[in-house]
Amino acid sequence: MRVEIWSDIACPWCYIGKARFEKGLAAFAHRDEVEVVHRSFELDPGHAKGDTGLVVDMLAAKYGRSRTEALAMEEGVAANARSEGLGYRIEGRDHGSTFDIHRLLHLAKARGRQEELLNLAYRANFAEERSVYDQETLVSLAVEAGLDEAEVRGVLADADAYADEVRADEREAAELGANGVPFFVLDRRYGVSGGQPAEVFTQALEQAWQGRTITPVGTSSPDAAVCDTDGSCEIPQAGAHS
Amino acid sequence: MRVEIWSDIACPWCYIGKARFEKGLAAFAHRDEVEVVHRSFELDPGHAKGDTGLVVDMLAAKYGRSRTEALAMEEGVAANARSEGLGYRIEGRDHGSTFDIHRLLHLAKARGRQEELLNLAYRANFAEERSVYDQETLVSLAVEAGLDEAEVRGVLADADAYADEVRADEREAAELGANGVPFFVLDRRYGVSGGQPAEVFTQALEQAWQGRTITPVGTSSPDAAVCDTDGSCEIPQAGAHS
């Protein structure tokens, strides 16, 4: 079974939801048969690269609140994070364009290091005093995740590298009906929206597991050009295949 | 959309079916939004490592036919391969245990080189005078596919490396009802069995594309802990989440 998780590194509920999902997965009997793939979703896709600032200032401006009120809003999220055992800093945290991070996460996926990079990037953004909007920080996180430094720098320097992959994920999220993140899709059949309690993920995994059925399509004659486990390979009648 | 293809390197219809699938995919309008993953399936899972021999001799013994009759059986398959533009040798081709090849294909998957290694292995087995049952041949194919030689040798030397991944794929094939290969699964929803004509794959892709719907599971209250594309992150009421 496969779970795809659309998320943005800047999204607190994605960070918290990932921990809750993992707790829910750990309680699922068939957890060893679950593959997890992370997909790109920018909360603010038009955000200009290089335009960074403090999250609390952004929140205060966005909602017309005082800095103290913005801090209180973030404290509500922080309490959720801490209840999952996650570090959560508020005052020093930046926001900005996450496009480059998504591009690097696609490179990491191609190299089998996506989970590693995502965990490091979440930790850097939410739990440490490191800005994921700084290129040198991104390089060091990617290298720490096991990627090749020269390849990472090459991807960062070429704005087109993995850009189509990021946009394809985002287009797919829209096609599947996701307006926000985190968005969890199980075997392209069941969806869970939001950083829900761990039990919800366990239940969804169980439901998806029960619901596995494959509908055969195409011809299924004895001529169907299959090799069976007894080692025999049927040869279709001449002209039956293009 | 994702297509998973269960196959065995020793299976002629997998080799031919891959080419037919790719032709069918090329004719599918949303081909750029299709991800292909290859999964392990051994036609002869109990075959002892190192026990190799000529395919024609195996076929003759298995079906109680003469060598000439076995060659004629293989000619029927070869005609199908050649009609797809694929090379197909008969006389010099070996058979044996494909377990090590599947383990290497999982390493290649983890390093983003699965498609490359599978294509090279198919070509070596079916079109060239190279035995994929020979360890040094496997090493050179894997290096040609872009893998690190030391890592490849390490995996070959450790019989447990990626063994669970091979068996998990095989268990999953059985759970999904596959008795033979190639077996194509589209979004875990639709299945195509056998090396069918290209048009069948195009039709199956179109059917799967139309059939994409996600069933929501779990709570979907306004408290659902989502960050929306307007940048706002709802804070659930205290106690609503674990």
Side-chain angles (χ1 to χ4, degrees), chain B residues 174-192:
Chain B
E175 287 166 357
L176 296 173
N179 312 308
V181 282
F183 188 63
F184 303 78
V185 175
L186 291 69
D187 269 356
R188 284 290 164 114
R189 202 181 285 262
Y190 299 98
V192 179

Side-chain angles (χ1 to χ4, degrees), chain B residues 69-146:
Chain B
E69 286 168 324
L71 283 171
M73 289 167 71
E74 272 289 292
E75 275 300 343
V77 182
N80 276 271
R82 290 181 193 124
S83 75
E84 299 299 335
L86 299 170
Y88 196 93
R89 72 189 172 112
I90 298 169
E91 297 225 22
R93 203 167 92 242
D94 279 340
H95 76 110
S97 168
T98 57
F99 194 66
D100 280 352
I101 310 172
H102 286 298
R103 294 195 300 114
L104 281 190
L105 283 165
H106 275 281
L107 166 66
K109 183 183 171 209
R111 300 290 171 267
R113 295 285 189 264
Q114 191 188 39
E115 188 73 29
E116 290 83 346
L117 180 57
L118 183 60
N119 284 337
L120 289 167
Y122 272 139
R123 196 176 71 190
N125 186 50
F126 288 107
E128 301 173 340
E129 293 288 330
R130 298 167 80 183
S131 175
V132 291
Y133 308 99
D134 172 76
Q135 296 249 328
E136 287 308 311
T137 304
L138 279 185
V139 171
S140 64
L141 292 170
V143 169
E144 196 181 341

Side-chain angles (χ1 to χ4, degrees), chain B residues 45-60:
Chain B
H47 202 100
K49 184 172 169 172
D51 176 17
T52 61
L54 291 174
V55 167
V56 283
D57 293 343
M58 177 271 286
L59 287 173

Side-chain angles (χ1 to χ4, degrees), chain A residues 111-144:
Chain A
R111 300 289 171 265
R113 295 284 188 265
Q114 191 188 40
E115 189 72 30
E116 290 84 345
L117 180 57
L118 184 60
N119 285 337
L120 288 167
Y122 273 138
R123 196 176 71 191
N125 186 50
F126 288 107
E128 301 173 339
E129 292 288 330
R130 298 167 79 183
S131 175
V132 291
Y133 307 100
D134 171 76
Q135 296 250 327
E136 287 308 311
T137 304
L138 279 185
V139 171
S140 64
L141 291 171
V143 169
E144 196 182 341

